[in-house]
Amino acid sequence: MNFKIFKPVFAFAMAVSVHFSAQTDAPKYSYTEAFKPFFYQNNATETRSASGQPGHNYWQNSADYVLNATLNDGKNEISGSAEITYTNNSFDDLGFLWLQLDQNLFKKDSRGNAVIPMGGSRNGAKGQAFDGGYTIKSVEIISANGKNLKTTPKYTITDTRMQIDLPQELKSKGGVIKFVVNYSFVSPNYGSDRMGIEATKNGKIFTMAQWFPRMCVYDDIMGWNTLPYLGAGEFFLEYGNVVANLTVPANQYVVASGELLNPKEVYTNDQIKKWESAKNSDKTVIIRSAAEANAGEKTSSATKTWKFKVENTRDFAWASSSAFILDAAKINLPSGKKSLAISAYPVESDGNAAWGRSTEYTKSSIENYSKRWYEYTYPNAVNVAGNEGGMEYPGIVFCHMNSKGADLWGVTDHEFGHNWFPMIVGSNERMFAWMDEGFNTFINSISEKDFNKGEYYAPKSLQQMSFAFNSDQMEPVVTAPDNLKERNLGFLAYYKPGAGLQMLRDNILGEERFDKAFREYIKRWAFKHPTPEDFFHSMENVAGEDLSWFWRGWFINKWKIDQAVTNVKYVNGDFTKGAIIKVENIGQLPMPTEVEIKFKDGTNQIEKLPVEVWKRNSEWSFEVPTTKEILSVQLDPKGSLPDANPSDNIFKLSDQVVEKITLSDYVGSFASKQLPLKVVIKEENNSLTVKAGGQNAFPVEYEGAEKFSFSMAGIEIQFAKDKKSFTLHQGGKDYIFTKE
């Protein structure tokens, strides 16, 4: 689904409010908390391996549908039947079935309507008064466990769910039941930004989704997944095959998920020739032109039935209109197979600056994702112009008819990206929106660079988003969408998890290791139901990296990234001997650290620190061998991390007075009247070492103004100006030593 977040004025206001909220006392970094063990609470089972793969006894139920539906365009009504063949592959006998009745969201007394605030929402029907929801006319069981039954079961409807009590238990490990639900409903004009009806000068555009009763998922995690449909949380569905017979007025054209089985019955001979031409063309071929749409019949009392089939799918959606311009081009897949990019839009959306490029965008998007991640599996990829901001279904998406240019490219690419998440990788959207919206937002960011040599690419710094990512007003990423403030959904389902994967790729694992692990995750869980832990396990096992600290901070908690350069000094005050840089991890979430050193001669140098430096430290000093004067030192120079306080990410030396010292002036043996201890100071490897009694020698760093320190032990040594004595400070006490 597409989710445009904020206008510039809102962004500024939010940035100001977040800036001030961030000034409150924030929790400080604890390396024991960040890297503590036992992140994973669930051990490997027969169904889910600790390596992130499906287990050796992984099972998944399936649902096949034969759908018959008739569109009454005058009443905006769909009536039809769903013949469902449900296979129970679980180890449990099932005494009842649960189905989703998503259209019941639009009943006046639905739970979804009850939670719409007075100020309005993108969810629901935008205040339209109509008789929404399903009318269930009958339910009949045809067969079960291999026996014909022909019985009418008892069923109970609770909001957007229906429970069917079975006359006999559906057997485990392969029991099959076939039943039919007859129903009807009136479509909303605006269906929670997912489906609806849009009027155009050449007729209505019907975009039909959540239009038939669908099986709830029964799995090894929750058993029956029966969360109600409230509008914000999307879907969790079983895979299977769908045959759909869609009867519409004869003047309308239908596009849908899957392959059209009867083209000769619904298209003219000339249009069929154009379809055949499109199947072999990399350029867009017009199937039905704007002139034909303008000249076409606006109403018809006759009907046509369009027949479609799609295999191994979690859903089926379609669109119908007399207003459609239709065009298409072939999609080239890595295996050599072909698919077909199709666009359906009204004359109001025509033109090369708008929907005239839709098929080009669709083709590019599908080819790119197929090459990078996993091959596209559907015979068609259909982009439909409707009144939705953007919504995705297997093999078909709905995008707003007024979109054009970069906006149309962006929403097209986003919605088709959803054919990987969650159409191919079938995560639970109702619970974990970030596993489809966030993953998709991430792959969109790469696709944007690839399309037409970056035609619409605009580099985006994650640092620019830090005001949102670090806001105390945000819930954790893992929060279910129905539990989020609606204003936060865009950041927490889309942008923050997308940024998390981007940081994982760019800052932690590197492109090669990340891409390999991500591709393997998709391959392992294609047409299956992964959980967040399956994703975490899979990425770690393939990449060979413990990432629990990152999952814990960025996804599970609201930990902030905040690092700082706290000091830069030359070794012994002499830039020709190198520099010592001190950095600090202030925020709760550690990250690998990249430091850019700019020199006065115009050159620069990059130093990188792995995340391991923060495993037992909150501060870290390191030496940079250089013989040049430094102008400035900056953390994360590309802005690839959303640092909560970037003001302390840069340290400038241009105005500092360099204090050069001679180490030999401080060398010698020193004794104290306060302690029976001799201290020997030597010059070794261009630095001072201190040996107290029979203990091991330790190095000290020059802090300026005759002071040296050994920060790990909290020791400071302050020399007198004549360097014949010093005061040793440790543990709140001072001891005076004099040169012998």
Side-chain angles (χ1 to χ4, degrees), residues 399-574:
C399 300
H400 203 281
M401 60 179 287
N402 293 338
S403 293
K404 59 181 63 177
D407 284 345
L408 181 57
W409 154 255
V411 69
T412 299
D413 188 55
H414 179 80
E415 303 314 333
F416 278 117
H418 275 303
N419 274 273
W420 281 261
F421 308 101
M423 307 310 164
I424 291 174
V425 182
S427 57
N428 185 345
E429 300 177 274
R430 193 68 54 89
M431 283 290 293
F432 308 113
W434 61 274
M435 290 185 73
D436 73 291
E437 297 295 359
F439 290 12
N440 188 27
T441 299
F442 164 71
I443 65 174
N444 299 158
S445 68
I446 299 173
S447 178
E448 185 183 37
K449 296 179 186 178
D450 294 339
F451 174 67
N452 201 22
K453 299 180 180 179
E455 178 180 353
Y456 297 125
Y457 175 59
K460 303 177 187 69
S461 164
L462 292 185
Q463 180 58 65
Q464 295 173 346
M465 298 287 283
S466 66
F467 66 88
F469 294 154
N470 294 302
S471 170
D472 293 331
Q473 307 305 312
M474 295 289 174
E475 301 88 350
V477 168
V478 295
T479 310
D482 289 328
N483 300 122
L484 296 173
K485 292 288 187 184
E486 190 172 337
R487 64 177 178 267
N488 294 345
L489 182 63
F491 285 112
L492 294 175
Y494 295 67
Y495 288 93
K496 188 171 182 180
L501 295 196
Q502 186 175 329
M503 290 189 290
L504 195 58
R505 188 177 194 249
D506 295 346
N507 301 83
I508 300 172
L509 294 179
E511 184 175 314
E512 184 177 353
R513 277 206 298 164
F514 176 91
D515 288 2
K516 180 180 180 180
F518 201 52
R519 280 193 292 267
E520 184 65 22
Y521 165 71
I522 297 171
K523 178 183 175 183
R524 288 175 173 182
W525 291 98
F527 308 104
K528 296 181 177 68
H529 293 146
T531 66
E533 283 206 357
D534 295 321
F535 170 68
F536 297 154
H537 274 307
S538 195
M539 292 298 292
E540 290 189 11
N541 274 260
V542 179
E545 200 75 43
D546 175 15
L547 300 168
S548 59
W549 56 274
F550 184 65
W551 312 132
R552 181 183 285 120
W554 191 255
F555 291 91
I556 308 300
N557 294 296
K558 301 191 296 181
W559 291 359
K560 298 176 182 178
I561 298 172
D562 186 9
Q563 296 183 348
V565 188
T566 56
N567 196 17
V568 180
K569 58 189 178 183
Y570 297 124
V571 174
N572 304 325
D574 186 350

Side-chain angles (χ1 to χ4, degrees), residues 1 105-106 122-125 188 190-195 229-232:
M1 191 176 188
L105 172 69
F106 306 110
R122 71 182 304 180
N123 303 313
Y190 177 88
S192 208
D193 204 21
R194 305 189 191 282
M195 47 89 68
Y229 177 43
L230 303 179

Side-chain angles (χ1 to χ4, degrees), residues 338-387:
K338 307 295 179 189
S339 184
L340 194 63
I342 301 170
S343 295
Y345 51 96
V347 294
E348 290 90 336
S349 304
D350 196 13
N352 201 47
W355 277 77
R357 293 187 70 184
S358 166
T359 290
E360 175 195 349
Y361 298 157
T362 300
K363 170 183 167 66
S364 174
S365 183
I366 299 295
E367 289 179 348
N368 185 286
Y369 295 135
S370 294
K371 183 179 179 180
R372 276 194 176 274
W373 308 117
Y374 188 93
E375 184 165 293
Y376 186 71
T377 59
Y378 304 110
N380 300 322
V382 188
N383 197 7
V384 181
N387 62 7

Side-chain angles (χ1 to χ4, degrees), residues 132-187:
Y134 280 110
T135 297
I136 301 298
K137 299 177 180 178
S138 66
V139 178
E140 182 181 20
I141 297 177
I142 299 172
S143 64
N145 298 319
K147 297 179 181 179
N148 294 331
L149 291 179
K150 300 291 184 182
T151 184
T152 300
K154 178 185 176 182
Y155 63 87
T156 305
I157 296 175
T158 306
D159 198 53
T160 58
R161 291 79 44 87
M162 177 168 69
Q163 185 183 48
I164 300 176
D165 294 323
L166 303 181
Q168 57 180 252
E169 287 188 329
L170 181 61
K171 298 300 182 184
S172 62
K173 300 180 183 179
V176 178
I177 186 170
K178 182 181 290 187
F179 62 101
V180 177
V181 181
N182 292 291
Y183 65 91
S184 66
F185 68 89
V186 175
S187 174

